[in-house]
Amino acid sequence: MEENQTGHETGKSHFIRALNLPTGILLVAGIMIGSGAFKKIVPMAQTLHSGEYILLAWIIAGVITMFGAFTYAGLATMTTETGGVYEYFRLIYGDFIAFIFGWSAFTIIGSGAIAALSFVFAQSFNTLVHLPDPFSSLKDIGIGHSVFPFADSGIKLLGVLAVILLTWFNIRGIKNGGALNNIVTSAKILGIVLLIIGGLFFTGRPVLNIETKIASDYPQGLSLLSALFGAMLSALWAYDGWANVTYVTGEIKNPQRNVPLAIIGGVGIAMTLYILLNYAYMQVMPIAQLAQLGPNRIAAAEVAGVLMGKSGSVIIALLIIICTFGALNGCIISYPRIYFRMAQEKVFFSKAGAIHPAFCTPHVALIYSAIWSCILLVSGTFDQITNLIIFASFAFFALGAYGVVRMKMKNVIKSTVIGYPVIPFIIILFCIVLVINTIITQPEASAIGLFLILSGTPFYFYFKQKS
């Protein structure tokens, strides 16, 4: 088992408090800066057809995310246990709500994030080296007109391989994980800053005839509001992952101070880069041109191609590969710790609570996570998976905000929470509106999300009865 002079005991395991504040900040930023920064402007352009509204969607989503950082910073002062949001819900609402969150993380939130990141990693690799499509003849075979497991088979197979390799790597230990995260995240930030600079100083001319052609398609009134919320689903996916640092609370030095600061610092870095980067995209390529990019083309690579020619596309493709690979690795490290903690609490498959005798890692939880993530990867497209994640995440986001209010009123949280009580109520209202809008505009995806969340109920009673 893992331990040192600052070992932290959680159930039957020991964790090393080896992560300092800078590493915590870069861990948050590193998981957030994965794929959405490079790809999500395309569906946003297709929905809104307006640069101003796209930037507004990024700003609102960023502000809501920062509000969430303030709120979860307050929750982080309640405990030093590994498990993060799962532990917060267990302390606030009891075992059932905590289990439903953990089960949702397993079925959709965490595993879906891993699936989506691995898909974009493989997409990026495909821009450099064209992947064969061995099951192309079966691509039109689908389930329910939305799931096409054989479509893009070459990309999906590489994504599955990436998940398997990184899972194997993390089973064998993460001794240098913090240092690797710092190097990769620093490289991400440098590459994005260079792309921003290139876009801001771009002097070429936009393709005005295409943009004029669709200018009359701007949504208005309630349609605009609905489209704005739809675009924010894309932006919120890019911001997703900021709470992951709480899952490794047991390995962070002085967690009651450093976890809140890591969340706020990481979100601040990502928000600044995202807004500037998307503005730079629109300086290089008009909205209409971005909206016409196909599902397997990455906006950042196209923009870099305009700025630097073929070499620019290659450089950005390499940057995206590094970014998504690093974020994928961070998710594979963090999410299985929830399932490991649940198994310790006897509300998950008991084998997930096992620790590898040689490598001191939750190897079974990692394997469970990898298997389900690969199933999601094969069965759904990137955007379908990420929209399901946001729908589920924000249902629990509202519970987290209400939990801060509840714990402050009970005087359990004694520290100052920035913006309390206004910010938690803004988050609750925003989450309710977003979830309702998603149900109305994407009923099929919402039904799948609700089914996966509620599917945990019989399992909860099964685990409780068994224990």
Side-chain angles (χ1 to χ4, degrees), residues 15-336:
F15 296 96
I16 303 172
R17 295 202 182 278
L19 304 179
N20 56 23
L21 178 58
T23 300
I25 292 173
L26 290 177
L27 180 62
V28 174
I31 292 177
M32 292 176 71
I33 304 171
S35 60
F38 306 109
K39 178 182 174 71
K40 281 299 187 180
I41 192 172
V42 173
M44 295 172 79
Q46 293 168 349
T47 300
L48 289 173
H49 308 308
S50 166
E52 291 79 5
Y53 286 136
I54 289 174
L55 289 178
L56 180 62
W58 280 103
I59 292 170
I60 293 175
V63 170
I64 292 296
T65 302
M66 184 59 75
F67 283 178
F70 295 155
T71 301
Y72 274 55
L75 292 175
T77 63
M78 292 196 303
T79 178
T80 60
E81 293 282 354
T82 286
V85 179
Y86 169 79
E87 279 295 304
Y88 306 155
F89 284 178
R90 193 173 68 85
L91 294 173
I92 297 168
Y93 301 111
D95 291 343
F96 179 71
I97 297 297
F99 170 82
I100 291 297
F101 168 78
W103 181 259
S104 299
F106 176 69
T107 57
I108 184 171
I109 299 172
S111 301
I114 291 170
L117 285 167
S118 62
F119 189 87
V120 174
F121 164 76
Q123 273 187 322
S124 304
F125 189 88
N126 189 48
T127 64
L128 288 181
V129 180
H130 181 67
L131 297 170
D133 193 359
F135 302 116
S136 60
S137 62
L138 305 175
K139 66 180 181 179
D140 294 326
I141 297 176
I143 303 172
H145 304 290
S146 60
V147 176
F148 296 92
F150 299 107
D152 301 315
S153 59
I155 291 174
K156 289 178 179 177
L157 286 173
L158 180 59
V160 168
L161 180 62
V163 172
I164 292 172
L165 288 177
L166 282 174
T167 299
W168 172 82
F169 171 78
N170 282 292
I171 286 175
R172 297 181 62 84
I174 52 170
K175 181 179 179 180
N176 298 317
L180 176 63
N181 172 78
N182 292 351
I183 293 171
V184 172
T185 303
S186 298
K188 294 181 189 185
I189 293 173
L190 176 61
I192 290 173
V193 168
L194 292 177
L195 185 57
I196 290 171
I197 293 173
L200 293 180
F201 287 94
F202 177 69
T203 58
R205 295 182 179 181
V207 186
L208 294 176
N209 61 316
I210 299 178
E211 192 163 19
T212 303
K213 181 180 177 181
I214 67 165
S216 60
D217 295 332
Y218 289 169
Q220 298 184 15
L222 291 177
S223 296
L224 173 59
L225 183 62
S226 180
L228 189 62
F229 270 96
M232 278 191 285
L233 283 177
S234 296
L236 289 168
W237 157 249
Y239 285 116
D240 193 42
W242 52 271
N244 285 37
V245 70
T246 68
Y247 306 147
V248 294
T249 298
E251 294 155 290
I252 293 180
K253 298 176 181 178
N254 191 11
Q256 289 182 313
R257 170 185 177 271
N258 288 341
V259 170
L261 292 177
I263 294 174
I264 294 171
V267 170
I269 291 172
M271 180 179 175
T272 302
L273 291 176
Y274 284 169
I275 294 172
L276 290 176
L277 182 60
N278 279 269
Y279 179 75
Y281 288 155
M282 293 182 287
Q283 293 296 106
V284 177
M285 296 181 69
I287 297 301
Q289 217 171 351
L290 290 167
Q292 291 178 353
L293 295 179
N296 289 329
R297 295 172 69 184
I298 307 297
E302 300 295 328
V303 169
V306 174
L307 292 173
M308 295 175 279
K310 185 176 180 180
S311 61
S313 297
V314 172
I315 291 171
I316 291 301
L318 287 172
L319 174 62
I320 296 170
I321 289 172
I322 294 171
C323 287
T324 52
F325 193 78
L328 175 62
N329 185 55
C331 288
I332 288 175
I333 291 171
S334 57
Y335 281 111

